[in-house]
Amino acid sequence: MIDLKDFEYDELIEYLQSIGEKKFRAEQIFSWLHKGAESYGEMTNLSKITREKLEKDTYVSTLKIREKYVSRIDGTVKYLFELPDGNCIESVVMRYHHGLTICISSQVGCRMGCRFCASTIGGLYRSLTAGEILNQVIFAQKDIGERISNIVMMGIGEPLDNFENVVKFLHNVNHEKGLNIGYRHISLSTCGVVPMIYKLAEEKIPITLTISLHAPNDAIRDSIMPVNHKYKIAELLEACREYAGITGRRISFEYSLIHGVNDSMENAKELANLVRDLHSHINLIPVNKVEERNFEKGSGKEIKAFQEKLTSLGINATVRRELGSDISASCGQLRKKVLK
Ligand code: SAH
């Protein structure tokens, strides 16, 4: 059975023509699917014959809300979604002054092995299809009843380890007949799968690329991020330069501050020198404690000192505000709890 949300718009037209339907049906169906229709029966402008034809080989995929938490502090909404095969993924909707931002997952689990990360415990189960990635946006928006205007691909999984489906998803979510979310309102975060950064640059999709850097040198990065054994920082930054050159978009870096590992003043200096020529922005994230890991964050004062050091060296750095702290909104934690 085919999930029509796995087709790009042009592929949907082709498919419909192949079953003897007119081209204009694509617009109707695409729009229904992206509005969150849960069956062909809801698509009232399709004839009964068309619906029956579709039901023969295709289905309307949905996501079940298995658990939902709303933060009393800031209104952040966290979903544990259940996929049709029973696997669970997490998505988080955050309220910012510029609108609702959703953080979505790209895989069930992850095989990148970052030492501080909850999502990688247990490894990769499978990648999400393009439709499953999109469904998180569709069904969160439907549940909340307000437009989601921004997307960050910073949930469970490594998006560049699921390249084809992620690109398909990006095309679809941006499509004017669908949710129509602008590329400039989308960011994709990667731990640094270098060849795929070049491949993404070739796609010329002007989203924001965010790099999970987390270390100012290879020795530290090797010790916390296995991907660094394969692609060293210098290669990663070269790919970033290329990406910025081709897309004209600034690169963003994430740097999780882990006490005693990467948060000394010397580390700040090293980091500043590393990214100086990239005109980037650095997002500092006080590391979130994960039960199975013994990483701790520094004090508020130490975190502020790190940021100020970077700023004094001419590097644009902000500390990420923690949202949804009362509902363990950081990804990977809820799925892990349910798996147990
Ligand atoms: N695989 C992608 C997408 C995950 S994004 C990537 O690595 O970028 C989630 C972000 O949160 C990444 O920057 C990740 O390194 C970071 N992260 C994971 N676990 C964390 C933790 N316990 N504390 C702080 N940041 C963490």
Side-chain angles (χ1 to χ4, degrees), residues 80-267:
L80 184 74
F81 282 123
E82 187 176 320
L83 298 162
D85 66 358
N87 275 302
C88 289
I89 49 169
E90 295 173 41
S91 323
V92 183
V93 179
M94 295 156 287
R95 291 182 179 275
Y96 291 110
H97 62 272
H98 55 263
L100 295 187
T101 295
I102 188 166
C103 175
I104 56 173
S105 298
S106 55
Q107 297 181 309
V108 182
C110 182
R111 58 173 177 159
M112 295 297 140
C114 299
R115 302 261 186 270
F116 43 81
C117 180
S119 300
T120 202
I121 297 169
L124 175 69
Y125 193 78
R126 70 170 174 88
S127 284
L128 297 182
T129 62
E132 287 170 334
I133 302 174
L134 181 67
N135 273 343
Q136 298 169 69
V137 188
I138 292 174
F139 289 102
Q141 174 166 292
K142 191 175 178 188
D143 179 61
I144 292 176
E146 290 171 61
R147 180 167 192 267
I148 290 176
S149 53
N150 293 68
I151 299 174
V152 294
M153 303 199 78
M154 294 190 181
I156 297 172
E158 167 50 53
L160 297 188
D161 191 33
N162 184 16
F163 189 85
E164 306 292 330
N165 291 336
V166 164
V167 167
K168 220 169 220 204
F169 155 74
L170 290 170
H171 289 154
N172 279 346
V173 81
N174 174 251
H175 202 283
E176 56 172 6
K177 307 290 186 205
L179 292 176
N180 197 13
I181 298 182
Y183 286 133
R184 280 157 201 278
H185 297 266
I186 303 177
S187 42
L188 181 151
S189 179
T190 177
C191 65
V193 188
V194 168
M196 293 297 145
I197 294 176
Y198 286 106
K199 209 166 158 198
L200 186 64
E202 277 168 30
E203 294 283 336
K204 300 205 167 48
I205 305 175
I207 54 171
T208 302
L209 182 65
T210 301
I211 305 289
S212 296
L213 188 57
H214 304 324
N217 59 52
D218 283 322
I220 298 178
R221 202 164 193 269
D222 279 343
S223 74
I224 54 176
M225 299 179 72
V227 68
N228 204 67
H229 295 304
K230 198 149 180 196
Y231 309 111
K232 295 292 170 209
I233 292 179
E235 291 171 67
L236 175 57
L237 295 184
E238 190 46 42
C240 291
R241 270 178 217 108
E242 176 88 5
Y243 186 90
I246 291 179
T247 61
R249 304 281 294 155
R250 265 213 219 179
I251 304 284
S252 221
F253 290 102
E254 282 161 296
Y255 194 98
S256 295
L257 285 164
I258 310 173
H259 193 49
V261 173
N262 63 3
D263 68 343
S264 70
M265 287 301 112
E266 194 48 44
N267 296 153

Side-chain angles (χ1 to χ4, degrees), residues 24 45 53 55 72 74 104 107 126 205 244 289 336:
F24 76 91
N45 53 1
K53 249 197 261 176
E55 273 159 7
R72 285 198 205 147
D74 49 46
I104 56 173
Q107 297 181 309
R126 70 170 174 88
I205 305 175
K289 193 156 173 56
K336 205 162 51 76

Side-chain angles (χ1 to χ4, degrees), residues 250-288:
R250 265 213 219 179
I251 304 284
S252 221
F253 290 102
E254 282 161 296
Y255 194 98
S256 295
L257 285 164
I258 310 173
H259 193 49
V261 173
N262 63 3
D263 68 343
S264 70
M265 287 301 112
E266 194 48 44
N267 296 153
K269 262 194 259 171
E270 247 183 305
L271 177 60
N273 288 332
L274 205 55
V275 301
R276 184 168 304 287
D277 68 324
L278 270 155
H279 305 290
S280 52
H281 176 265
I282 298 186
N283 238 311
L284 298 170
I285 317 167
V287 76
N288 265 304

Side-chain angles (χ1 to χ4, degrees), residues 30-37 138 141-142 179:
F30 198 82
S31 152
W32 278 114
L33 290 173
H34 290 228
K35 267 193 293 211
I138 292 174
Q141 174 166 292
K142 191 175 178 188
L179 292 176

